Amino acid sequence: MLLLSFTICLFIFLFTSLISHTYEILSIDTYTKKIMAIDKSAKIFVAGHRGMVGSSVVRKLNQLGFHNLILKTHSDLDLTNQSDVDTFFSTNQPDYVILAAAKVGGIHANKTYPADFITLNLQIQTNIIVSSFKYKVKKLLFLGSSCLYPKFSPQPIPENALLTGPLEETNECYAIAKIAGIKMCQAYRIQHNFDAISAMPTNLFGTNDNFHPENSHVLPALLRRFHEAKINNVDQVVVWGSGSPLREFLHVDDLADAVIFLLENYSDLEHVNVGSGNEVSIKELAELAKEVVGFKGELIWDSTKPDGTPRKLMDNSKIAALGWKPKISLRDGLVDTYKWYLENYGKQ
């Protein structure tokens, strides 16, 4: 497994070096295409529309008046099946594609099922990107994740930090697959002039988040634990670590807004970071989540447990320069997320 991981990393590094060299030789205008607004009647395929990101994108598109969305569940279309995906594109001929479909999970899932994370993600993104080019999609947006950056990236993390150091071991297979997706979009732009772009969102939360007790991320996990402690009259909640690490969070509805903004306002080789630009310590986050839930008990910090990376913040200057900024505060987003949790999980 380590040999496979090293071989794939070496291939991606060499391929990236080739792209970077080519990028330096040719003018940036070579890869820049004309920007224009998307017609409201355009056929837009949102891959992964039932997930947290995809469902938010669909809501945003509907709010903006787009009325020709193409949405398929897994039972309708298996995105890992090349033949099925090719037939789907041939039949439906979408104008735009938003690739939000992915095999995702927390640390436990990534460590337990690494083969699934690398294989399924490579299959999904390869099938969709290849078919999008083959059937003349006007533009494709691919979604990455901040966890694709090296474990010890400079802070804040700029776009050019990608592939400059070793990855976080716990999600290496997922990261390698998704990095390959970004590089595939770049390769198709260079070789075929295909308008494929990539966005790199920071830590997300919001409607349709994963509140699983074992596989959820820190923010939904805190909301769930505080809620369960409140309804069960528990007077203490133990939280791992010291609470000192700094993290950045973005409400998923802000990401959806950024996705549509980038589709209409960006067309170039490099991926674009999408974050809030605001840091919060895990301790501050826990206190805020506790307040939103209404848990009156005590927080106990277990400093024998690992803290993880001390700081993780995206450099969002590129998308800010394009004219986009987030609108939802962390507190408002937490209130919205907890409300959704109560409506969907609160009685369990």
Side-chain angles (χ1 to χ4, degrees):
M1 185 64 200
L2 288 175
L3 179 60
L4 173 62
S5 175
F6 174 78
T7 304
I8 296 174
C9 283
L10 179 61
F11 170 77
I12 294 176
F13 173 77
L14 293 173
F15 181 65
T16 305
S17 299
L18 176 62
I19 287 179
S20 299
H21 179 65
T22 306
Y23 188 51
E24 290 170 357
I25 293 174
L26 298 175
S27 165
I28 193 169
D29 292 336
T30 304
Y31 306 121
T32 305
K33 298 177 78 69
K34 186 178 179 181
I35 306 298
M36 60 180 62
I38 302 174
D39 189 278
K40 294 296 190 293
S41 64
K43 291 189 287 185
I44 303 176
F45 172 43
V46 182
H49 76 281
R50 283 188 166 180
M52 180 170 69
V53 174
S55 60
S56 181
V57 168
V58 169
R59 290 195 303 273
K60 186 65 178 178
L61 288 168
N62 285 327
Q63 290 170 9
L64 293 173
F66 291 94
H67 53 82
N68 206 355
L69 306 185
I70 305 173
L71 310 173
K72 296 291 182 181
T73 65
H74 179 71
S75 60
D76 296 327
L77 175 62
D78 180 1
L79 295 175
T80 67
N81 186 301
Q82 183 181 20
S83 176
D84 289 353
V85 173
D86 185 275
T87 299
F88 163 78
F89 272 83
S90 175
T91 302
N92 291 275
Q93 298 285 324
D95 299 307
Y96 297 88
V97 172
I98 298 170
L99 210 176
K103 168 70 175 176
V104 298
I107 292 175
H108 179 264
N110 271 271
K111 290 178 68 175
T112 307
Y113 309 108
D116 289 352
F117 279 92
I118 194 167
T119 303
L120 297 177
N121 282 305
L122 284 171
Q123 289 174 333
I124 290 168
Q125 62 207 31
T126 299
N127 292 340
I128 291 177
I129 294 170
V130 169
S131 290
S132 293
F133 167 69
K134 179 179 178 180
Y135 292 102
K136 304 187 186 315
V137 165
K138 293 178 181 178
K139 193 167 191 173
L140 176 145
L141 185 142
F142 176 81
L143 281 157
S145 165
S146 61
C147 71
L148 309 189
Y149 284 116
K151 184 176 183 178
F152 301 108
S153 295
Q155 300 293 325
I157 308 173
E159 281 86 357
N160 62 12
L162 191 66
L163 289 173
T164 58
L167 300 166
E168 169 59 52
E169 296 88 348
T170 55
N171 66 346
E172 184 180 55
C173 287
Y174 171 80
I176 287 173
K178 298 293 283 185
I179 290 170
I182 291 174
K183 293 303 170 185
M184 193 170 182
C185 288
Q186 292 178 344
Y188 269 73
R189 180 177 286 269
I190 291 171
Q191 183 174 337
H192 299 296
N193 200 32
F194 177 51
D195 197 0
I197 62 174
S198 299
M200 196 82 94
T202 189
N203 301 308
L204 300 170
F205 71 102
T207 301
N208 272 340
D209 210 336
N210 173 22
F211 288 88
H212 191 280
E214 293 181 1
N215 296 328
S216 58
H217 294 121
V218 59
L219 198 153
L222 287 172
L223 289 175
R224 179 177 184 133
R225 293 184 65 198
F226 292 148
H227 173 77
E228 291 177 344
K230 182 179 75 170
I231 63 174
N232 291 312
N233 296 314
V234 176
D235 57 7
Q236 290 183 342
V237 169
V238 178
V239 185
W240 276 25
S242 67
S244 63
L246 297 170
R247 294 292 183 267
E248 175 188 26
F249 295 92
L250 182 74
H251 194 279
V252 69
D253 288 350
D254 271 335
L255 174 61
D257 184 66
V259 163
I260 297 164
F261 175 86
L262 289 171
L263 276 175
E264 295 191 321
N265 294 278
Y266 183 76
S267 179
D268 217 329
L269 190 68
E270 190 176 49
H271 62 275
V272 181
N273 286 344
V274 184
S276 66
N278 298 315
E279 288 179 295
V280 61
S281 72
I282 297 300
K283 183 170 289 187
E284 292 170 327
L285 179 69
E287 292 288 353
L288 185 57
K290 174 188 171 186
E291 179 186 336
V292 167
V293 171
F295 172 59
K296 304 300 183 182
E298 183 183 6
L299 298 187
I300 305 296
W301 294 92
D302 184 357
S303 58
T304 65
K305 296 297 192 293
D307 268 337
T309 305
R311 186 187 187 205
K312 189 176 180 184
L313 174 69
M314 306 272 271
D315 180 349
N316 300 296
S317 57
K318 184 171 185 173
I319 193 168
L322 291 170
W324 182 86
K325 62 181 180 179
K327 302 177 180 67
I328 303 171
S329 70
L330 179 59
R331 181 182 178 79
D332 289 346
L334 278 171
V335 170
D336 174 77
T337 305
Y338 183 53
K339 179 183 177 183
W340 185 86
Y341 170 79
L342 290 175
E343 293 171 349
N344 292 271
Y345 293 95
K347 295 181 181 180
Q348 293 184 6

